[in-house]
Amino acid sequence: MLDLIEMEISESADKGNRFSIEQARDADIGQNAVQRYNLEKNEYFILAVDSNRVELVLENTLDREKQKELNLLLTALDGGSPQRSGTVVIHVTVLDANDNAPVFSQAIYKASLPENSPSDTIVINVSATDADEGVNGDVTYDFGHVSEDDVNVFSIDPKTGQIRTTGVIDFEEISSFEIIVEAKDGLGLTSYAKVIIDITDINDNAPVIYLQSLTNPIPENVSPGTEVGIINVQDRDSENNRQVRCSIQQNVPFKLVPSIKNYYSLVSTGQLDREVVSDYNITISATDEGSPPLSSSKSVQLSVADINDNPPVFEEQSYSAYVSENNKPGSTLCSVSARDPDWRQNGTVIYSLLSGEVNGAPVSSYVSVNGDTGVIHAVRSFDYEQFRSFKMQVMARDNGSPPLSSNVTVSVFISDVNDNSPQILYPAPEGNSFMTELVPKAAHGGSLVSKVIAVDADSGQNAWLSYHIVKSTDPGLFSIGVHSGEIRTQRDISESDSMKQNLIVSVKDNGQPSLSATCSMYLLISDNLAEVPELKEMSNFENNSKLTSYLIIALVSVSTFFLTFIIIILGVRFCRRRKPRLLFDGAVAIPSAYLPPNYADVDGTGTLRSTYNYDAYLTTGSRTSDFKFVTSYNDNTLPADQTLRKRQSRNAYIQ
């Protein structure tokens, strides 16, 4: 029998496991051979023997951490007499099994770390031990069940268990970390511990200003004290580092009024006027109480909304337009312009004419105004001789609600153009009637024979008239006053002078271009009517005159109305024969409508002076030819105590 049996049994062996032992040998046989075995009592094994084998049976599990080796005494007994025995020592080496997990020195580890600590800062060391040996007792460390963010912030040394920072730590994002640290032995048994890392705050965040609400734009008529916005100020730091003071600049009509915690109301403090300031750039400043303090600011752009509080204002207090008469309809007279400082439709100006009258007609029948541009146009052609000026009211109205308006007076002055020829009042223009003056044979040079009376509807120099003799029977016998129109003898009348004198007088105005009119003046040089030849002979000396052809043309042009004229003439003659005869020998006075007995001169315009009176008479039975006798208060005036009789004939019209 061996003196020593070596056995290795793992501590992880289960109860009931059997381990065979070599049987004892005995040279004897029979009853003297080995009959039984006896195992020294112990707490782990018992002996199981059958006819074929001897086994150690594990009665209780082994624990290498309690007892690494066991010595068991096994005795073999024979059946001889005396009984003999043999013993052997069974040396059991307990093999280690990974039956112990690592154990941390603390279940919870706590550490404090300032935020913004630099990378690779040591935070804390964790430690765990394993009762096993060898590989089973080799402990490694790692983070267990941690978020990716934590892994990016911290790292742990797998051998030493030292935890360091690897990223930026921000108190405002995470104020504390809870990290599970895992300790694992070589064959995978693990244990866990909690690491709590508290982050301490430093004043590394400036206040942040939030605009919670804002009335933008605000009406310009908002009353002072109206809330126009709500401001919220936040600081992510803690304690004193997050205490914030808020302010606003002083040069705006607004202020901040504290409300609930960290909230401020932005209210107006004065009257707003968009036309003065349309936008406000408000700067709000916030400062915390950290050390050192941090501050921030925010600009708020606030617009002022327009209301229709300004009427249109014309650029001029009044406007004057100057236009020449006979203008074309649609021509531009002038332009009015009004400005409205309001915005958009409140500042859009529309022009219109106010109702009014010009010469009894609506002003709109004379002028119109462009509603968009304010340009005033003439609707019709103006006539200076009808009216020389007129006024109208133009209204400028905006498109606000309600609309505002203002008015301006526009004076239109019409300037004269030379569009009226002189009008000869006496004698009547050629072709209308025939005037004959009786000139005494004894008339001396410079004696007043007659006067041409003319007027011009124009004004100014366009109405300055001048008189000229364009044709006469005896060019050297008579002259005419250039400005007065008085016809006088240039010399004494002689017997050789023709008794029948015909003067064609032209009356010109001073316009550009000049307009003119002509008339014929018939003069008879005689002391009494008995010397006057038959009237039909008076017309013979005009046969060479162009006036005859004019008369013929005029008669032809009115031939279509001949019958009507005959009826009118017969009716007029019938009426006149029923009237009482005037003066002497059936003579009748010329109607006053034809030639006033007293025609006063007006500023040298050609009208007859008041010092001359002309008495006109018609011979008995005549209604078509006019004969004139001059009465004067002047010594040079010819006597007018004679009448000229007329005999009717078909050629009795004298030019």
Side-chain angles (χ1 to χ4, degrees):
M1 184 175 292
L2 299 176
D3 296 330
L4 180 64
I5 299 176
E6 295 283 346
M7 296 184 66
E8 292 182 351
I9 301 175
S10 175
E11 63 176 332
S12 61
D14 295 331
K15 290 174 59 175
N17 283 357
R18 294 174 177 267
F19 304 95
S20 296
I21 301 173
E22 183 180 0
Q23 291 183 358
R25 292 191 177 103
D26 194 331
D28 295 326
I29 60 172
Q31 186 69 26
N32 295 326
V34 177
Q35 297 296 317
R36 60 186 182 91
Y37 293 90
N38 186 26
L39 180 65
E40 184 182 13
K41 187 177 182 179
N42 62 86
E43 61 176 317
Y44 297 104
F45 296 96
I46 60 173
L47 189 66
V49 180
D50 60 21
S51 60
N52 294 323
R53 57 185 173 183
V54 177
E55 294 177 329
L56 289 177
V57 179
L58 185 62
E59 188 177 33
N60 292 309
T61 59
L62 301 175
D63 188 356
R64 189 200 67 83
E65 288 71 36
K66 291 182 178 180
Q67 189 172 358
K68 295 180 180 181
E69 296 178 350
L70 295 175
N71 288 317
L72 302 176
L73 184 62
L74 177 64
T75 301
L77 298 172
D78 60 17
S81 178
Q83 189 177 37
R84 291 183 179 271
S85 65
T87 60
V88 65
V89 175
I90 302 174
H91 184 266
V92 178
T93 301
V94 181
L95 299 179
D96 184 47
N98 194 27
D99 60 345
N100 290 280
V103 177
F104 282 98
S105 59
Q106 296 178 221
I108 298 176
Y109 294 86
K110 291 186 177 181
S112 179
L113 180 69
E115 66 173 328
N116 299 331
S117 294
S119 180
D120 206 34
T121 300
I122 298 175
V123 179
I124 195 173
N125 271 36
V126 296
S127 177
T129 58
D130 193 318
D132 295 325
E133 64 178 358
V135 176
N136 295 333
D138 290 338
V139 178
T140 59
Y141 301 94
D142 198 0
F143 292 134
H145 308 292
V146 294
S147 65
E148 184 177 350
D149 293 338
D150 292 344
V151 173
N152 293 333
V153 175
F154 300 100
S155 66
I156 187 169
D157 190 313
K159 295 297 183 180
T160 65
Q162 188 177 74
I163 298 176
R164 294 174 177 267
T165 60
T166 58
V168 178
I169 298 175
D170 190 352
F171 171 85
E172 287 69 41
E173 291 185 2
I174 301 177
S175 60
S176 67
F177 293 87
E178 288 190 4
I179 302 175
I180 302 299
V181 178
E182 175 187 78
K184 180 188 296 184
D185 60 22
L187 293 181
L189 293 180
T190 59
S191 61
Y192 300 93
K194 180 185 293 185
V195 178
I196 299 176
I197 304 173
D198 292 325
I199 308 301
T200 58
D201 181 48
I202 62 174
N203 192 29
D204 60 341
N205 290 279
V208 180
I209 302 172
Y210 297 96
L211 188 61
Q212 296 294 341
S213 66
L214 183 66
T215 303
N216 193 17
I218 57 175
E220 60 180 321
N221 62 343
V222 66
S223 58
T226 301
E227 182 181 84
V228 299
I230 297 176
I231 307 298
N232 176 238
V233 182
Q234 297 289 339
D235 193 315
R236 298 175 64 191
D237 295 321
S238 62
E239 298 180 356
N240 289 340
N241 294 334
R242 67 179 303 171
Q243 301 301 316
V244 179
R245 299 184 305 273
C246 203
S247 63
I248 194 173
Q249 76 262 37
Q250 300 299 317
N251 58 344
V252 292
F254 300 94
K255 67 177 180 179
L256 287 177
V257 177
S259 182
I260 58 177
K261 185 177 181 180
N262 295 330
Y263 281 86
Y264 296 84
S265 295
L266 181 64
V267 300
S268 62
T269 59
Q271 196 68 43
L272 305 180
D273 190 346
R274 192 202 68 86
E275 289 69 45
V276 177
V277 180
S278 60
D279 295 280
Y280 290 94
N281 190 12
I282 303 172
T283 301
I284 301 172
S285 300
T287 304
D288 62 28
E289 295 185 358
S291 180
L294 299 178
S295 62
S296 63
S297 62
K298 185 179 184 66
S299 293
V300 177
Q301 192 73 23
L302 192 61
S303 299
V304 181
D306 183 55
I307 63 169
N308 194 29
D309 58 344
N310 290 280
V313 177
F314 284 95
E315 293 182 352
E316 305 289 341
Q317 293 183 351
S318 62
Y319 290 85
S320 298
Y322 298 88
V323 60
S324 298
E325 64 173 332
N326 303 327
N327 58 290
K328 292 182 179 180
S331 58
T332 299
L333 300 182
C334 68
S335 176
V336 298
S337 180
R339 297 289 180 267
D340 194 319
D342 292 324
W343 195 50
R344 288 189 176 176
Q345 66 177 17
N346 293 335
T348 302
V349 179
I350 299 175
Y351 303 92
S352 61
L353 285 176
L354 292 179
S355 59
E357 292 187 352
V358 176
N359 283 358
V363 68
S364 59
S365 64
Y366 288 89
V367 296
S368 66
V369 62
N370 188 304
D372 296 325
T373 64
V375 176
I376 299 175
H377 300 276
V379 174
R380 62 168 68 175
S381 180
F382 300 143
D383 189 353
Y384 176 83
E385 286 68 45
Q386 290 185 359
F387 54 90
R388 301 183 178 184
S389 66
F390 62 91
K391 293 183 178 181
M392 57 184 169
Q393 292 283 322
V394 177
M395 179 180 70
R397 175 181 59 83
D398 59 30
N399 266 338
S401 180
L404 301 178
S405 63
S406 60
N407 303 333
V408 70
T409 300
V410 180
S411 300
V412 179
F413 298 95
I414 304 168
S415 60
D416 183 48
V417 297
N418 194 31
D419 60 340
N420 291 280
S421 300
Q423 182 181 359
I424 300 175
L425 300 180
Y426 180 82
E430 58 176 324
N432 294 339
S433 60
F434 304 93
M435 290 294 184
T436 303
E437 300 285 358
L438 189 62
V439 181
K441 294 180 179 180
H444 300 289
S447 297
L448 177 63
V449 175
S450 184
K451 180 177 182 177
V452 177
I453 303 174
V455 294
D456 195 313
D458 295 320
S459 65
Q461 67 177 10
N462 294 332
W464 296 349
L465 303 180
S466 62
Y467 303 83
H468 309 276
I469 297 176
V470 297
K471 186 176 181 181
S472 65
T473 304
D474 189 349
L477 183 55
F478 298 100
S479 65
I480 190 168
V482 175
H483 300 296
S484 66
E486 295 178 347
I487 300 176
R488 295 179 181 271
T489 57
Q490 295 190 81
R491 57 177 173 79
D492 295 343
I493 296 176
S494 64
E495 292 295 333
S496 61
D497 293 328
S498 174
M499 182 177 63
K500 306 168 189 176
Q501 297 289 330
N502 182 22
L503 303 179
I504 298 178
V505 178
S506 173
V507 183
K508 296 183 178 180
D509 60 27
N510 198 37
Q512 293 295 330
S514 177
L515 301 179
S516 63
T518 60
C519 66
S520 295
M521 179 69 73
Y522 300 96
L523 302 176
L524 294 177
I525 302 176
S526 177
D527 290 330
N528 56 70
L529 294 177
E531 299 177 0
V532 180
E534 291 183 357
L535 293 177
K536 66 180 181 179
E537 298 176 356
M538 294 182 64
S539 63
N540 292 334
F541 70 90
E542 281 299 311
N543 290 334
N544 295 327
S545 174
K546 292 183 180 180
L547 299 178
T548 302
S549 60
Y550 295 156
L551 179 60
I552 293 173
I553 294 173
L555 291 175
V556 173
S557 66
V558 298
S559 61
T560 57
F561 301 102
F562 179 76
L563 182 60
T564 304
F565 279 26
I566 293 299
I567 295 173
I568 293 175
I569 291 173
L570 291 176
V572 172
R573 285 184 177 180
F574 176 78
C575 293
R576 287 185 177 178
R577 286 175 181 173
R578 297 172 60 91
K579 292 182 180 180
R581 304 293 179 127
L582 299 178
L583 299 178
F584 61 92
D585 198 17
V588 295
I590 297 177
S592 61
Y594 181 81
L595 182 67
N598 295 292
Y599 210 98
D601 186 23
V602 180
D603 296 333
T605 59
T607 306
L608 182 64
R609 298 182 184 279
S610 60
T611 56
Y612 304 107
N613 280 336
Y614 292 85
D615 297 327
Y617 303 96
L618 295 176
T619 56
T620 304
S622 175
R623 300 300 178 199
T624 59
S625 297
D626 300 320
F627 298 89
K628 190 75 175 68
F629 299 90
V630 179
T631 301
S632 175
Y633 301 106
N634 192 313
D635 293 339
N636 295 327
T637 304
L638 297 178
D641 56 352
Q642 304 177 46
T643 62
L644 180 62
R645 299 183 182 278
K646 173 188 173 188
R647 293 182 306 171
Q648 292 187 0
S649 78
R650 65 180 181 179
N651 295 323
Y653 294 94
I654 302 175
Q655 298 241 352

